Amino acid sequence: MFNQEFYFKQVVILITFIVVVNSSVGQGRVSQRLGDYASHEVTSNQVLIKTSFGLAKISALQEDVIHVIIVKDEFRSKANYAVIQDATIPFKSINENTNELILETERLTVKVNKAPLTLTYLNKKGNVLSEDDEMGIRWIGNQVTNYKKLVSDEKFVGLGEKTGPLNRRGQAYENWNNDDYAYEVDDDPIYASVPFYIGIHSKLTYGIFLNNTFKTVFNFGASNDRFSSFGAEDGELDYYFFGGSSVRDIVKDYTWLTGRMELPPIWSLGFQQSRWSYFPDKEVLTLARTFREKEIPADVIYLDIHYMDQYKIFTWDNKRFSDPKGTIKQLNDMGFHVAVIVDPGIKTEDGYQVYEDGVEKKVFATYPDGSNYAARVWPGRCFFPDFTLDKSRKWWGNKFNTLTDVGVEGFWNDMNEPASWGNRTPDLVEFGMEGNRGTHLEAHNVYGMQMSRATFEGVNQLRNNKRSFILTRAAFSGSQRYSAVWTGDNVASDDHMLLSARMVASMGLSGISFAGPDVGGFVGDRTPELFARWLSQGAFTPFFRNHSSHNTRDHEPWAYGEQIEGISRKYLNTRYQLLPYVYASFYESSISGIPVARSLVMDYTFDNKVYTRAYHNQYLFGPNLLIAPVESDQKFAKVYLPEGKWTHYWTNKVFEGNQELIVDAPLDQLPIFVREGAIIPMQSTIQHANQKPSDKLMIHVYDGSQKTSFEYYEDDGNTFDYQDGAFYKRAISYDPEGQLTLGKVEGNYVSKFLSAEIVFHSNGKFDIIATIPFDKSEQKVSLPRSKK
């Protein structure tokens, strides 16, 4: 007899089984595609598209910046730490046909293929900049990935602080901030996460920034010849597409989106001396006096963890530093500024005010049951501030008065991946995420950035219009708004020295302009030759710090004998003579995002030579100085000069560009070349950045065949008064027909220079052409005409 009820139950069971199986497939057994187009609607300058499996939202922020968010089910609120722009513009047109939805701005076209749903980006001329592979956007469980067609000649640069080659083609990378002590030259990941890259092919450029704080993965044709891809282990596929017509334009747009650095204090651009650790106070004062007695310029001395009472943050060891205010006053009188290390771990100790206040104010990261998460670091058992909450950041920032009140001006944020013994924060630890509560998996990559933010905002409130210097180890896109970034616990080796040049240039391409390594290497002993070579390279690096571990030999500039001391003095003097050029380059970076240390990709994008391993360590320091790093045991260097004429900085010999050459590179002569048409302002030798130089500015002009210009910039270097007009800015322009023009001055700051000496370099020689008043009026100086 037919049992209808039994049959119905079996059908329900079968359907349930099918649903469960399909669900499990979507949760990790095979990938699930975004699916086919179903419908779309236009609301508030956004196009919302429904597919057979998910949703896509597309909008334009500028004519060449497109924002795309793709989800499986619904768009959710989330903390947005990297992006500071949210206004959108309307698409110029939105058209639909049988196969496509076509969105246009004045500069870009986004073609939305309907079946399957994939995206193609084209420039105004109709050239394809980037195109999804047919695999499109896919999920494996919560992991989401966007697959892109790989173009035969495509190159990839960026991703910030990454090891490996300049051209990342054939490589894959993860973004997960990692305390990687003594990392290898091909380790990945290390300390910072910048999920932004630039693609280059067919004389075209584009950029992609994945705005996702979970662990992200980028594959640039690694182990396959079909696709490049970017994706995240969880969260939305939230990315920005940049369609600028040059690498320079893309970097400008990316830093417009994620922010640019504040102008740092000028003393932070000088030489910085550190080790783990200088103590007690008498040793620190002796160190400072030795710099001055030997007339070796320097500006900053660091205090590592031993200045604290049992490594407790915001305390002083009363035996090692019995009078920190008095000690810092003596250092200030010698022209030194003090920077101290600050770690996030708060020791769980009864009677320790910082700990007890933090518990009372509920500012720490917690387990799901509400109890405070604890791990062990330098002080022992510690709680960790939840920097993803505004109240925790304010709490942290207010604690800096114990440091600022005694005169500390630099704040070195370390161990903020966050790192702890075992180096593994449990995934389920919870963070506030600005009210959108999430786990450590989402907060990890922005923890260090938000610690830097809390430090930056706190000390700026406490220091009454005085600029401070903030340094961090862990970072994320947008960290440049708050701090400089150094490249972590590197190693004393030639490989690391050369790697540091690539890394700093890559960070510049990725928005982090104020960057540098531990000069000489943190781990292991440097040879005298390595120290000299790395110090000379460091003189042309934005962040210039000499730092080493506690178990290494002395590493001050005089610690390697008279020859190395002399080389060190030469390059430190050069750095300080170049401060007008360096400071103007920092100013440019603060307003445009163009980095101080510039990969040659920035200006010679389609010159294949600059990507080769023989030359991928070369970079421009500021707009005009080409730096060619050299191993410490080499006496000659193989150098590539891009198109144009180049003048050897030390010999004034002129070379034609677009050629490879072998040049002398004795230990005291780092290969440096000056671009034709360069304008380089220099000053007299000084011992620290706030020391007044002579009242004569030397403006070096290099003969060239094209018109060039340089924006000279000056302010007091220490306060924020420049934001209210207290600056001195003027364009200096070179015309090869025989004229140098100093434009009219903007701003109400009075320059420290009274006159300008014009030095003209041409045909292997240089001459002082004129000395003119350096006032606010426009001035013209006649120069010899260029011999083309």
Side-chain angles (χ1 to χ4, degrees), residues 157-163 168 175 190 192-197 254 477 487 502-512:
V157 297
L159 289 189
E161 183 196 74
K162 289 294 185 186
T163 61
R168 307 205 181 279
N175 283 313
I190 51 175
S193 295
V194 183
F196 165 70
Y197 72 89
Y254 168 74
S477 292
T487 60
R502 297 197 302 279
M503 289 176 74
V504 170
S506 176
M507 293 164 80
L509 285 170
S510 309
I512 299 174

Side-chain angles (χ1 to χ4, degrees), residues 260-265 456 460 467 480-483 514 586 590 720 722-723:
R260 295 161 183 153
M261 69 174 175
E262 297 274 5
L263 257 180
F456 173 85
N460 281 349
R467 294 184 227 171
Q480 63 270 12
R481 305 195 300 266
Y482 311 118
S483 64
F514 200 178
F586 268 84
S590 73
F720 290 98
Y722 71 92
Q723 296 177 348

Side-chain angles (χ1 to χ4, degrees), residues 3-23:
N3 189 326
Q4 186 174 8
E5 181 179 357
F6 174 79
Y7 177 78
F8 178 76
K9 287 181 179 180
Q10 295 305 307
V11 170
V12 170
I13 291 171
L14 179 60
I15 293 172
T16 302
F17 174 76
I18 292 171
V19 169
V20 170
V21 169
N22 285 341
S23 175

